[in-house]
Amino acid sequence: MPSAPPGPAPTSHARHAAPASGRPDQDAHGTGADTEGIPDLLGTEEEAEFLRRWHEVQGRFVDDPRQAVHAADVLVGDVMRNLADTFARHRNSLESQWSQGLEADTESLRRALCQYRALFHRLLST
């Protein structure tokens, strides 16, 4: 009899600063950002869909462990692609600010570096 798969991975509290709701404060566009201005890596709906899919994968393990592992592989790949797309949009946003021909002052560059540092640490803690 195959053993049950481990439960869901613990979430990292270092991922972002969040209020009691568990989600960061929402901006005017309905996306959250942490205290350093880094947007959520996943939107609320995307996160819920990925979690739903994960629970479905786990539920299949007992009946078909091989298929469940294959589905987990596909799901993790989907999450990674989504995260890469989110990062690319964030990077493009920063680069577009600089490509408008405006000279970036030291303070703007400091804030950008702080945002990259926060994103870097969040990715490592995930």
Side-chain angles (χ1 to χ4, degrees):
M1 172 184 214
S3 62
T11 58
S12 170
H13 297 295
R15 191 170 94 178
H16 50 68
S21 69
R23 301 287 305 166
D25 293 329
Q26 300 291 305
D27 64 14
H29 302 290
T31 59
D34 67 9
T35 57
E36 295 197 52
I38 302 299
D40 278 346
L41 298 178
L42 292 174
T44 305
E45 291 177 11
E46 293 168 315
E47 184 175 336
E49 177 61 15
F50 285 134
L51 286 171
R52 183 200 63 74
R53 287 175 60 192
W54 176 254
H55 291 297
E56 185 179 293
V57 166
Q58 275 190 284
R60 281 193 248 154
F61 183 81
V62 173
D63 293 331
D64 192 349
R66 185 179 303 270
Q67 175 56 31
V69 170
H70 174 71
D73 178 65
V74 170
L75 176 56
V76 168
D78 289 349
V79 171
M80 291 173 64
R81 275 186 294 284
N82 187 290
L83 293 173
D85 290 346
T86 299
F87 174 73
R89 284 191 305 271
H90 180 69
R91 182 186 62 231
N92 289 340
S93 173
L94 286 174
E95 290 174 351
S96 72
Q97 293 171 17
W98 300 331
S99 68
Q100 295 174 0
L102 303 173
E103 185 65 31
D105 62 5
T106 303
E107 179 58 19
S108 296
L109 295 172
R110 185 194 69 76
R111 283 193 313 269
L113 186 60
C114 287
Q115 289 180 339
Y116 275 115
R117 178 188 63 208
L119 182 58
F120 174 76
H121 286 292
R122 185 185 299 167
L123 289 170
L124 289 182
S125 69
T126 300

